[in-house]
Amino acid sequence: MKSLQDTLYNWLTIKVVVDERPDDTAAVDTEKMFYDMLVEDQGIQNIEVTTDAVMYYVHYDLDGERKSNRFPRELIEVMLNQINESPERYANYPE
């Protein structure tokens, strides 16, 4: 099993892509996979994301406690930036 930190990072990275490209079926499916891992494998609930100019903050409930992790924007937005810089390489294929 991946660590909670790794799973949160992977989920947030693809969630940022889905938020920008909600019709990207591959991104939507991948985001759902990581979200399911967070809920089913890691046992977290009530996930909320906030952001500021520098960081993303992921808040969640785990074992009855409210917890949070933070990630630098530059790390989370790498995939989205790559897609925006070379959209021809990231075509969306309908189902």
Side-chain angles (χ1 to χ4, degrees), residues 9-27:
Y9 169 81
N10 290 326
W11 170 76
L12 185 56
T13 300
I14 197 66
K15 181 188 182 323
V16 168
V17 172
V18 169
D19 289 348
E20 183 89 10
R21 296 170 45 117
D23 296 331
D24 185 330
T25 55

Side-chain angles (χ1 to χ4, degrees):
M1 174 179 3
K2 288 186 176 187
S3 74
L4 177 56
Q5 179 87 6
D6 288 346
T7 308
L8 282 169
Y9 169 81
N10 290 326
W11 170 76
L12 185 56
T13 300
I14 197 66
K15 181 188 182 323
V16 168
V17 172
V18 169
D19 289 348
E20 183 89 10
R21 296 170 45 117
D23 296 331
D24 185 330
T25 55
V28 169
D29 290 347
T30 303
E31 187 273 338
K32 183 184 180 325
M33 178 192 71
F34 281 114
Y35 181 85
D36 289 347
M37 289 171 66
L38 288 170
V39 173
E40 295 169 12
D41 299 343
Q42 302 289 348
I44 70 173
Q45 300 174 5
N46 303 319
I47 304 168
E48 296 176 354
V49 177
T50 58
T51 189
D52 61 25
V54 179
M55 300 291 248
Y56 280 90
Y57 304 91
V58 181
H59 311 277
Y60 54 92
D61 295 335
L62 178 63
D63 298 329
E65 292 182 45
R66 191 72 176 159
K67 299 188 178 226
S68 64
N69 290 64
R70 63 185 183 160
F71 302 91
R73 287 184 75 106
E74 63 189 31
L75 291 178
I76 295 302
E77 294 174 355
V78 164
M79 183 180 295
L80 179 60
N81 292 338
Q82 289 174 344
I83 291 169
N84 288 336
E85 289 172 8
S86 302
E88 70 281 357
R89 294 179 60 203
Y90 301 94
N92 185 25
Y93 299 99
E95 293 184 41

